[in-house]
Coordinates of all heavy atoms in Angstrom, one line a residue:
M1 N 59.3 113.4 119.9 CA 60.6 113.3 120.6 C 61.7 113.0 119.6 O 61.6 111.9 118.9 CB 60.5 112.3 121.7 CG 61.8 112.3 122.6 SD 61.5 111.2 124.0 CE 63.2 111.0 124.5
I2 N 62.6 113.9 119.5 CA 63.7 113.6 118.6 C 64.9 112.9 119.2 O 65.3 113.3 120.3 CB 64.2 115.0 118.0 CG1 63.1 115.7 117.3 CG2 65.4 114.7 117.0 CD1 63.3 117.1 117.0
K3 N 65.2 111.8 118.6 CA 66.3 111.0 119.2 C 67.5 111.0 118.2 O 67.3 111.1 117.0 CB 65.8 109.5 119.3 CG 65.4 109.2 120.8 CD 65.1 107.7 120.9 CE 65.9 107.1 122.0 NZ 65.7 105.6 122.1
E4 N 68.6 110.9 118.8 CA 69.8 110.8 118.0 C 69.8 109.4 117.3 O 69.4 108.4 117.8 CB 71.1 110.8 118.9 CG 71.6 112.2 119.1 CD 73.0 112.2 119.6 OE1 73.5 111.2 120.1 OE2 73.7 113.3 119.4
T5 N 70.3 109.5 116.1 CA 70.3 108.3 115.3 C 71.7 107.8 115.0 O 71.9 107.1 114.0 CB 69.5 108.5 113.9 OG1 70.0 109.6 113.3 CG2 68.0 108.6 114.2
K6 N 72.6 108.2 115.9 CA 74.0 107.8 115.6 C 74.3 106.4 116.1 O 75.2 105.8 115.6 CB 74.9 108.8 116.3 CG 75.1 110.1 115.5 CD 75.9 111.0 116.2 CE 76.1 112.3 115.4 NZ 76.8 113.4 116.2
S7 N 73.4 105.9 117.0 CA 73.7 104.6 117.5 C 73.1 103.5 116.6 O 71.9 103.3 116.6 CB 73.1 104.4 118.9 OG 71.8 105.0 119.0
K8 N 73.9 103.0 115.8 CA 73.5 102.0 114.8 C 74.3 100.8 114.9 O 75.4 100.8 115.3 CB 73.6 102.6 113.4 CG 72.6 103.7 113.1 CD 72.9 104.3 111.7 CE 71.9 105.3 111.3 NZ 72.3 106.1 110.1
F9 N 73.7 99.8 114.3 CA 74.5 98.6 114.1 C 75.1 98.6 112.7 O 74.5 99.0 111.8 CB 73.6 97.3 114.3 CG 73.2 97.1 115.7 CD1 72.0 97.6 116.2 CD2 74.0 96.3 116.5 CE1 71.7 97.4 117.6 CE2 73.7 96.1 117.9 CZ 72.5 96.6 118.4
V10 N 76.3 98.2 112.7 CA 76.9 98.1 111.4 C 77.5 96.7 111.1 O 77.9 96.0 112.0 CB 78.1 99.2 111.2 CG1 77.6 100.6 111.1 CG2 79.1 99.0 112.3
K11 N 77.4 96.4 109.8 CA 77.9 95.1 109.4 C 79.3 95.3 108.9 O 79.5 96.2 108.0 CB 77.1 94.5 108.4 CG 77.4 93.0 108.0 CD 76.7 92.6 106.7 CE 75.8 91.4 106.9 NZ 75.2 91.0 105.6
V12 N 80.3 94.7 109.5 CA 81.7 94.9 109.1 C 82.3 93.6 108.6 O 81.9 92.5 109.0 CB 82.5 95.5 110.2 CG1 82.0 96.9 110.6 CG2 82.6 94.6 111.4
R13 N 83.4 93.8 107.9 CA 84.1 92.6 107.5 C 85.6 92.7 108.0 O 86.2 93.7 107.8 CB 84.2 92.4 105.9 CG 84.9 91.2 105.5 CD 85.1 91.2 104.0 NE 83.9 90.8 103.3 CZ 83.5 91.1 102.1 NH1 84.3 91.9 101.4 NH2 82.4 90.7 101.6
C14 N 86.0 91.7 108.7 CA 87.3 91.7 109.2 C 88.4 91.7 108.1 O 88.2 91.0 107.1 CB 87.5 90.4 110.1 SG 89.2 90.2 110.7
A15 N 89.3 92.6 108.2 CA 90.3 92.7 107.2 C 91.3 91.5 107.1 O 91.9 91.2 106.1 CB 91.2 94.0 107.5
K16 N 91.3 90.8 108.2 CA 92.3 89.7 108.3 C 91.7 88.4 107.8 O 92.3 87.7 107.0 CB 92.7 89.6 109.8 CG 94.2 89.3 110.0 CD 94.5 89.3 111.5 CE 95.9 89.2 111.7 NZ 96.2 89.2 113.2
C17 N 90.5 88.0 108.3 CA 90.0 86.7 108.0 C 88.7 86.7 107.2 O 88.1 85.7 106.9 CB 89.8 85.9 109.3 SG 88.4 86.5 110.3
K18 N 88.2 88.0 106.8 CA 87.0 88.2 106.0 C 85.7 87.7 106.7 O 84.7 87.5 106.1 CB 87.1 87.4 104.6 CG 88.5 87.6 103.9 CD 88.6 89.1 103.4 CE 89.9 89.2 102.6 NZ 90.6 90.4 102.8
N19 N 85.8 87.5 108.0 CA 84.6 87.2 108.7 C 83.7 88.4 108.7 O 84.1 89.5 109.0 CB 85.0 86.8 110.2 CG 83.8 86.6 111.1 OD1 82.8 85.9 110.7 ND2 83.8 87.3 112.2
E20 N 82.4 88.2 108.5 CA 81.4 89.3 108.6 C 80.7 89.2 109.9 O 80.3 88.2 110.4 CB 80.4 89.1 107.5 CG 81.0 89.5 106.1 CD 80.0 89.4 105.0 OE1 78.8 89.2 105.3 OE2 80.4 89.4 103.8
Q21 N 80.7 90.4 110.6 CA 80.2 90.5 111.9 C 79.3 91.7 112.1 O 79.7 92.8 111.5 CB 81.4 90.5 112.8 CG 81.1 90.2 114.3 CD 82.4 90.0 115.1 OE1 83.3 89.3 114.6 NE2 82.4 90.5 116.3
I22 N 78.3 91.6 112.8 CA 77.5 92.8 113.1 C 77.9 93.4 114.5 O 77.9 92.7 115.5 CB 76.0 92.5 113.0 CG1 75.6 92.2 111.6 CG2 75.1 93.7 113.6 CD1 74.2 91.6 111.4
I23 N 78.3 94.6 114.5 CA 78.7 95.3 115.7 C 77.9 96.5 116.0 O 77.3 97.1 115.0 CB 80.2 95.6 115.7 CG1 80.6 96.6 114.6 CG2 81.1 94.3 115.5 CD1 82.0 97.2 114.7
F24 N 77.9 97.0 117.2 CA 77.2 98.2 117.6 C 78.1 99.4 117.3 O 79.3 99.4 117.7 CB 76.9 98.1 119.1 CG 76.0 99.2 119.5 CD1 74.9 99.6 118.8 CD2 76.3 99.9 120.7 CE1 74.0 100.6 119.2 CE2 75.4 100.9 121.1 CZ 74.3 101.3 120.4
G25 N 77.6 100.3 116.5 CA 78.5 101.4 116.0 C 78.9 102.5 117.1 O 79.6 103.4 116.8
K26 N 78.3 102.3 118.3 CA 78.6 103.3 119.3 C 79.0 102.7 120.6 O 78.6 103.0 121.7 CB 77.4 104.2 119.5 CG 77.7 105.6 120.0 CD 76.5 106.4 120.2 CE 76.8 107.7 120.9 NZ 75.5 108.4 121.2
S27 N 79.8 101.7 120.5 CA 80.2 100.9 121.6 C 81.3 101.6 122.4 O 82.1 102.3 121.8 CB 80.7 99.5 121.2 OG 81.2 98.8 122.3
S28 N 81.3 101.5 123.7 CA 82.4 102.2 124.5 C 83.5 101.2 124.8 O 84.4 101.6 125.6 CB 81.8 102.8 125.8 OG 81.1 101.8 126.5
S29 N 83.4 100.0 124.3 CA 84.5 99.1 124.5 C 85.0 98.6 123.2 O 84.4 98.7 122.2 CB 84.0 98.0 125.4 OG 82.9 97.3 124.8
K30 N 86.2 98.0 123.3 CA 86.8 97.5 122.1 C 86.1 96.2 121.6 O 85.7 95.4 122.4 CB 88.3 97.1 122.5 CG 89.2 97.0 121.3 CD 90.6 96.7 121.8 CE 91.4 98.0 121.9 NZ 92.8 97.8 122.2
I31 N 85.9 96.2 120.3 CA 85.2 95.0 119.7 C 86.2 94.3 118.9 O 86.9 94.8 118.0 CB 84.0 95.4 118.9 CG1 83.0 96.2 119.7 CG2 83.3 94.2 118.3 CD1 81.9 96.9 119.0
K32 N 86.2 93.0 119.2 CA 87.2 92.1 118.4 C 86.5 91.2 117.5 O 85.3 90.8 117.8 CB 88.1 91.4 119.4 CG 89.1 92.2 120.1 CD 90.0 91.4 121.0 CE 91.0 92.2 121.7 NZ 91.8 91.4 122.6
C33 N 87.1 90.8 116.5 CA 86.6 89.7 115.6 C 86.5 88.4 116.4 O 87.4 88.0 117.1 CB 87.6 89.5 114.4 SG 87.2 88.1 113.4
L34 N 85.3 87.8 116.2 CA 85.0 86.6 117.0 C 85.9 85.4 116.4 O 86.1 84.4 117.1 CB 83.6 86.2 116.9 CG 82.6 87.2 117.5 CD1 81.2 86.8 117.2 CD2 82.8 87.2 119.0
V35 N 86.3 85.5 115.2 CA 87.1 84.4 114.6 C 88.6 84.5 114.9 O 89.2 83.6 115.4 CB 86.8 84.3 113.1 CG1 87.7 83.2 112.5 CG2 85.3 84.1 112.9
C36 N 89.2 85.7 114.6 CA 90.6 85.8 114.7 C 91.1 86.7 115.8 O 92.3 86.8 116.1 CB 91.2 86.1 113.3 SG 90.9 87.8 112.9
G37 N 90.2 87.5 116.4 CA 90.6 88.4 117.5 C 91.1 89.7 117.0 O 91.6 90.6 117.8
E38 N 91.1 90.0 115.7 CA 91.5 91.3 115.2 C 90.6 92.4 115.7 O 89.4 92.2 115.8 CB 91.4 91.3 113.7 CG 91.9 92.6 113.0 CD 93.4 92.7 112.8 OE1 94.1 91.9 113.4 OE2 93.8 93.6 112.1
V39 N 91.1 93.6 116.1 CA 90.2 94.6 116.6 C 89.4 95.2 115.5 O 89.9 95.7 114.4 CB 91.1 95.7 117.3 CG1 90.2 96.9 117.7 CG2 91.8 95.2 118.5
L40 N 88.1 95.2 115.7 CA 87.2 95.8 114.6 C 86.8 97.2 114.9 O 86.5 98.0 114.0 CB 85.9 94.9 114.5 CG 86.1 93.4 114.2 CD1 84.8 92.7 114.2 CD2 86.8 93.3 112.8
S41 N 86.7 97.5 116.2 CA 86.3 98.9 116.6 C 86.9 99.3 117.9 O 87.0 98.5 118.9 CB 84.8 98.9 116.8 OG 84.3 100.1 117.2
N42 N 87.4 100.5 117.9 CA 88.1 101.1 119.1 C 87.2 102.2 119.6 O 86.7 103.0 118.9 CB 89.4 101.6 118.7 CG 90.6 100.6 118.9 OD1 90.6 100.0 119.9 ND2 91.4 100.5 117.9
P43 N 87.1 102.3 120.9 CA 86.3 103.4 121.5 C 87.1 104.7 121.4 O 88.4 104.7 121.6 CB 86.1 103.0 122.9 CG 87.2 102.1 123.2 CD 87.6 101.4 121.9
S44 N 86.5 105.8 121.0 CA 87.2 107.1 121.0 C 86.2 108.2 121.4 O 85.4 108.6 120.6 CB 87.9 107.3 119.7 OG 86.9 107.5 118.6
G45 N 86.3 108.6 122.6 CA 85.5 109.7 123.1 C 84.0 109.6 122.9 O 83.3 110.5 122.3
G46 N 83.4 108.5 123.4 CA 82.0 108.3 123.3 C 81.5 107.7 122.0 O 80.5 107.0 121.9
K47 N 82.3 107.8 121.0 CA 81.9 107.2 119.7 C 82.9 106.0 119.5 O 83.9 105.8 120.2 CB 82.1 108.1 118.5 CG 81.0 109.2 118.6 CD 80.9 109.9 117.2 CE 82.1 110.7 116.8 NZ 81.8 111.4 115.6
S48 N 82.7 105.2 118.5 CA 83.7 104.2 118.2 C 84.2 104.4 116.8 O 83.6 104.8 115.9 CB 83.1 102.8 118.4 OG 81.8 102.8 117.7
K49 N 85.5 104.1 116.8 CA 86.2 104.2 115.5 C 86.3 102.8 114.9 O 86.9 101.9 115.5 CB 87.6 104.8 115.8 CG 88.4 105.1 114.5 CD 89.7 105.9 114.9 CE 90.5 106.2 113.7 NZ 91.2 105.0 113.2
I50 N 85.6 102.7 113.8 CA 85.5 101.3 113.2 C 86.8 101.1 112.4 O 87.1 101.9 111.4 CB 84.2 101.2 112.4 CG1 83.1 101.3 113.4 CG2 84.2 99.8 111.7 CD1 81.7 101.4 112.7
E51 N 87.5 100.1 112.7 CA 88.8 99.8 112.0 C 88.6 98.8 110.8 O 89.4 98.8 110.0 CB 89.8 99.1 113.0 CG 90.0 99.9 114.3 CD 90.9 101.1 114.1 OE1 91.4 101.3 113.0 OE2 91.1 101.8 115.1
A52 N 87.5 98.1 110.9 CA 87.2 97.2 109.8 C 86.4 97.8 108.7 O 85.9 98.9 108.8 CB 86.4 96.0 110.4
R53 N 86.3 97.1 107.6 CA 85.5 97.6 106.4 C 84.0 97.5 106.7 O 83.5 96.4 107.0 CB 85.9 96.8 105.2 CG 85.1 97.3 104.0 CD 85.4 96.4 102.8 NE 86.8 96.8 102.3 CZ 87.0 97.6 101.2 NH1 85.9 98.0 100.5 NH2 88.2 97.8 100.8
V54 N 83.3 98.6 106.6 CA 81.9 98.7 106.8 C 81.2 98.2 105.5 O 81.3 98.8 104.5 CB 81.4 100.1 107.3 CG1 79.9 100.1 107.4 CG2 82.1 100.5 108.5
L55 N 80.4 97.2 105.7 CA 79.6 96.7 104.5 C 78.3 97.3 104.4 O 77.7 97.5 103.3 CB 79.5 95.1 104.6 CG 80.8 94.3 104.6 CD1 80.5 92.9 104.8 CD2 81.6 94.5 103.3
E56 N 77.7 97.5 105.6 CA 76.3 97.9 105.6 C 76.0 98.5 106.9 O 76.5 98.2 108.0 CB 75.4 96.6 105.5 CG 74.0 96.8 104.9 CD 73.3 95.5 104.8 OE1 73.9 94.5 104.5 OE2 72.1 95.5 105.0
V57 N 75.1 99.6 106.9 CA 74.7 100.2 108.2 C 73.2 99.8 108.4 O 72.4 100.0 107.5 CB 74.8 101.7 108.1 CG1 74.3 102.3 109.4 CG2 76.2 102.1 107.9
L58 N 73.0 99.1 109.5 CA 71.6 98.7 109.8 C 71.0 99.6 110.8 O 71.6 100.2 111.6 CB 71.7 97.3 110.4 CG 72.6 96.2 109.7 CD1 72.9 95.1 110.6 CD2 71.9 95.7 108.5
S59 N 69.7 99.8 110.6 CA 69.0 100.8 111.5 C 68.3 100.1 112.6 O 68.1 98.9 112.5 CB 68.1 101.7 110.7 OG 67.3 100.9 109.9
Ligands
LIG101 ZN1 88.9 88.1 111.8

């Protein structure tokens, strides 16, 4: 069974406070930095647009 592998967790760094956070790369809701509240990821048509710097993609 072939599954899509687009749903991944990504490690991002907040541009504002340099906090590192692991977020779900295909979230349908807005993800904010837990420290300063900066938006890290915005939903856009089923996928998410990651606004922060991606450090690592975790599988
Ligand atoms: Zn932050």
Side-chain angles (χ1 to χ4, degrees):
M1 187 174 164
I2 300 164
K3 258 187 127 184
E4 270 200 338
T5 52
K6 279 177 183 173
S7 45
K8 286 176 179 169
F9 286 92
V10 289
K11 191 195 235 180
V12 297
R13 180 187 283 155
C14 174
K16 220 172 185 180
C17 71
K18 315 292 184 215
N19 171 51
E20 288 179 12
Q21 197 170 316
I22 292 168
I23 64 170
F24 189 47
K26 208 182 173 184
S27 175
S28 55
S29 56
K30 198 176 267 189
I31 300 168
K32 286 181 178 178
C33 172
L34 294 173
V35 177
C36 72
E38 181 82 350
V39 174
L40 300 178
S41 179
N42 267 315
S44 65
K47 292 200 291 184
S48 46
K49 188 170 178 287
I50 297 168
E51 309 282 357
R53 176 182 288 257
V54 177
L55 300 174
E56 204 179 325
V57 177
L58 312 162
S59 51

